[in-house]
Structure formats: structure tokens, C-alpha cells
Amino acid sequence: MYAASSSVSAPPRPPVHRQGSGPYLAPPRQAAPAIGGGRLRRAPAPGTQSLSGRLDLSGPQGAQLRTAIASVLRICPEFNPVQVLRRSGRSVLLVGTTGRSTAVAKCLLDHSPAWSERIQHEIASYRAFVRHRPPVRAPRLIAADPVGGTLVIERMPGRVAAVQRHPAEAPPRADVRTALGAIVRLNAWRPPAGMFDAPLDYGSRISRYHDLGLLTDRDLGDLQKLLHGIAHSSGPGGMGQFCHGDALLQNVLLSPAGPVLVDWEHAGWYLPGYDLATLWACLGDAPLARREISQLAQSKGPAARDAFLVNLMLVLTREIRTYETAVQRAMNDTAPAAPGQAPPGAVPSGEEQRLLLRRLHDDCALARRAVRAAVGTR
């Protein structure tokens, strides 16, 4: 992994003014905002588009927000915060301006080792992209502080391919195909050696899920057999594939200039098909898209097929654990989700929640049968 050491991570570039709709904002009349106890407003130049919203800096959450803004200004003094884009128990996303462009600042609120490591990984990914651009569009890094858990990137234009992690209705075929094309291009990329590591230890993850009772003894044996066969088939060099690591439609922005992938905190080397398995798992109401993904995963031979099945079992088991744990947590208390659990607002409620969990269990049973059939061919 490219080392994450200094605070400012990318050389400054001259600001670029972009007309038309989208998240780009012309320079406001007003200078840097005062961080006080009330609202922050921006006065846009005449005839330009403005970001709407306000920052509520009152109360305990306001104090937390002021601390986050101060951490952003330490590494990016020209950042003018405008509104909160998203907030959870672990981080806050702020939209603001940097010169003539808009930017997004991500500030860590939960500095536990798990979340600190995750944002450091994300920062390292964006730093690596400064030197070696991936074959898909990604936000440009503006500034970062891995120790303080603060990241500032450009805000890219476009709409998300899906608002929910598991869309309640099948997304448009064109949107899924666009996202899938971007993922396939990324998976074919071979960044320089040593730039990224392998975020997932397959053997340890399988054993942990077995110890938790999420995988049966037969699941454990079958997955270990497939892993052994994959290692034997791939030879000394291995068959790793560079993956985004969280290839959800939520992390794909669609724009006329092409798709943009965001949230690179899990990027690295995986067994082939990890991104495809992630996308497959979250498209429960899109059977045609799932069929296309499965055919694509199996088109490169038995080893690639087996790797996809191992990935699929792990992804589906993680999703089941995430949502069942979040449901139980919601029943007991309202504390923030721990690492690996669904973020606030990600878990549907009522009947939707029940149907989602039932679908995930059905999908896992389907994947389990496919794993057993693949073991039978070994």
C-alpha cells in the first residue's frame, strides 16, 4: 500500500469553473465562513447556482460538527462548508466550496482502530490514484490527514445509480450495464506492485464465520476445498484481481461524462469476482442483471467460477450478519452501529426488512448449492 504520511496529499491545481447543472458552484461573494453557534449561509454571485442548506452548530452535535469543520480547515484552509451531506455515528460528510469548485470533506467521528484503519486505507487509495489513475473516473484528492481521519476530495457531478444498498425495485437496465462496465474495466486494471494490499484474508474470514455459526461444517469444508483448488489452478503467481471492494450501485455516480466510482476504503486485491459478487448480492430484484453477472463470472473458466462462488458466499453471509445484527441492535437500543454493521438509515423497516432478510437467506442457500456442485466437479 502506498504510504499515508503527509497531511496534504495532492499538488494544488488551478480552480476550474464549470457551468450548468451539477454540484459545481461558482465562487461565493462572501469570504471564509465564521464558525459560530448558528447558521452558515453563502451568498452566491448573481446568476450562478448555489448549494442550498444550512449547518446547525447548536447543541452537542453542533460542537461535534465545529470540531469536524476545524479539522478540515487545518488541512484545507480554502474549504467553505455549506451543508451536511450525510452523518452517522462514525463520520460526517460535508459539502463545501474550494475556490470555484465544490468539494466533499469526510471527517471521522469514531476514532476506534477499525474505523481509523478504514479511512487511512481510503486516503491511501486516493493518494495512489494521484500517481496512477485507474481506468474509471474517481474523485480528485484535494487534501488528507490520515492521523486525524480527515479527507477532502472534489465533488463529482452525477446521480447515484441506486439510493438504497439493496434497491427495492430493479434499477434501469441501462444504469446497471453502465455500472457493470465500469467495474469490469477496473477489475482488468493492474496497478504497480506494492501499491495496494489484500484487504480480505479468505481463510480467516471463512473460519470466523464458521465459529460464529454462520457457516456449517460442510460449508467450511467446501469453501476450503475451492480455495485449495483455486490456489492450485492459479500457479505460483496467484490469480488476484484488483477490486473496488464495495461495488454497490450506491457507490456509482452516473453522469453524461461517464460513471464515477466513489468510496474506495476497501480497494485492493481479491480473488476474481469479488466486485461482481457484491453487485450480484444487492440486485435481488433484477434477475436478468444477475444472470448477466453470473455468466460473466463463469466465462473465464472453472477457477474464476469457483472464486466467484467463494466471494458470493462470503458477501451474502456478511450481508445476513450485518442486517440481522442491526435489526437486533435496533430492538435493544439506539447506539451507533459498530464496524461491519449497517449504517443508520441503511436497514429497511417493517415488512421490507423481513423480505430482505428472507431473500438474503434464499440467495445464500442458492449459492451454497452452487458451491457444492462446484466441489463435485473437482
Side-chain angles (χ1 to χ4, degrees):
M1 178 66 68
Y2 184 77
S5 54
S6 61
S7 293
V8 178
S9 309
R13 297 185 182 181
V16 178
H17 176 55
R18 306 192 184 193
Q19 298 288 348
S21 60
Y24 293 97
L25 180 68
R29 287 180 178 178
Q30 173 175 329
I35 303 177
R39 302 177 181 178
L40 285 176
R41 297 181 180 273
R42 298 292 171 274
T48 61
Q49 182 189 7
S50 173
L51 291 170
S52 61
R54 65 180 185 180
L55 293 177
D56 184 2
L57 302 179
S58 60
Q61 289 193 342
Q64 194 178 52
L65 193 56
R66 288 195 297 272
T67 301
I69 293 173
S71 67
V72 176
L73 294 178
R74 277 196 298 271
I75 63 171
C76 187
E78 66 273 22
F79 183 81
N80 294 326
V82 176
Q83 67 185 74
V84 175
L85 184 64
R86 189 175 72 224
R87 186 174 191 156
S88 69
R90 66 180 178 94
S91 64
V92 60
L93 290 183
L94 297 167
V95 180
T97 63
T98 54
R100 294 176 178 267
S101 300
T102 53
V104 174
K106 182 175 184 179
C107 306
L108 201 62
L109 301 178
D110 179 357
H111 290 272
S112 60
W115 291 120
S116 295
E117 181 179 354
R118 185 172 295 187
I119 196 169
Q120 288 169 7
H121 187 101
E122 185 174 12
I123 289 171
S125 297
Y126 281 113
R127 282 179 165 167
F129 295 158
V130 172
R131 296 186 176 185
H132 300 276
R133 297 296 294 175
V136 297
R137 299 179 68 212
R140 178 177 62 88
L141 177 65
I142 298 175
D145 176 14
V147 177
T150 307
L151 170 67
V152 184
I153 57 175
E154 67 174 325
R155 190 184 188 197
M156 303 293 284
R159 60 178 177 84
V160 292
V163 177
Q164 295 176 306
R165 184 181 184 89
H166 294 268
E169 298 181 357
R173 288 288 304 280
D175 291 356
V176 175
R177 283 181 176 272
T178 299
L180 182 58
I183 291 169
V184 170
R185 289 196 303 275
L186 178 69
N187 294 159
W189 186 45
R190 308 291 293 186
M195 181 175 294
F196 291 92
D197 58 13
L200 177 58
D201 184 328
Y202 282 87
S204 297
R205 180 67 59 87
I206 291 171
S207 297
R208 181 156 64 91
Y209 282 170
H210 175 258
D211 293 341
L212 292 172
L214 300 170
L215 295 175
T216 66
D217 291 344
R218 182 168 179 179
D219 292 335
L220 175 65
D222 287 346
L223 292 174
Q224 288 176 339
K225 287 177 183 177
L226 289 185
L227 285 178
H228 178 75
I230 293 167
H232 180 73
S233 301
S234 59
M239 57 178 302
Q241 182 183 72
F242 183 78
C243 293
H244 177 275
D246 198 18
L248 307 167
L249 293 180
Q250 278 185 317
N251 292 331
V252 180
L253 300 179
L254 304 175
S255 73
V260 182
L261 296 185
V262 298
D263 289 349
W264 294 86
E265 57 189 20
H266 300 285
W269 294 96
Y270 294 80
L271 287 180
Y274 188 85
D275 282 345
L276 295 180
T278 301
L279 190 59
W280 189 98
C282 295
L283 287 173
D285 291 305
L288 294 179
R290 277 187 161 187
R291 184 180 307 165
E292 183 177 356
I293 292 170
S294 298
Q295 292 173 348
L296 182 62
Q298 299 178 55
S299 64
K300 296 184 179 180
R305 175 206 64 192
D306 293 352
F308 171 74
L309 291 176
V310 171
N311 286 320
L312 189 58
M313 276 294 292
L314 293 184
V315 168
L316 288 170
T317 303
R318 179 200 65 198
E319 292 296 299
I320 291 172
R321 178 177 181 244
T322 294
Y323 282 90
E324 287 187 341
T325 303
V327 170
Q328 186 62 42
R329 193 178 188 87
M331 294 173 60
N332 295 334
D333 55 52
T334 58
Q341 297 177 0
V347 180
S349 59
E351 184 68 6
E352 289 182 355
Q353 180 174 278
R354 186 183 68 82
L355 292 175
L356 173 58
L357 281 171
R358 186 174 72 180
R359 193 262 290 170
L360 288 172
H361 280 285
D362 289 344
D363 288 344
C364 196
L366 178 65
R368 180 176 286 111
R369 291 194 295 271
V371 166
R372 292 176 180 175
V375 170
T377 65
R378 284 285 176 181

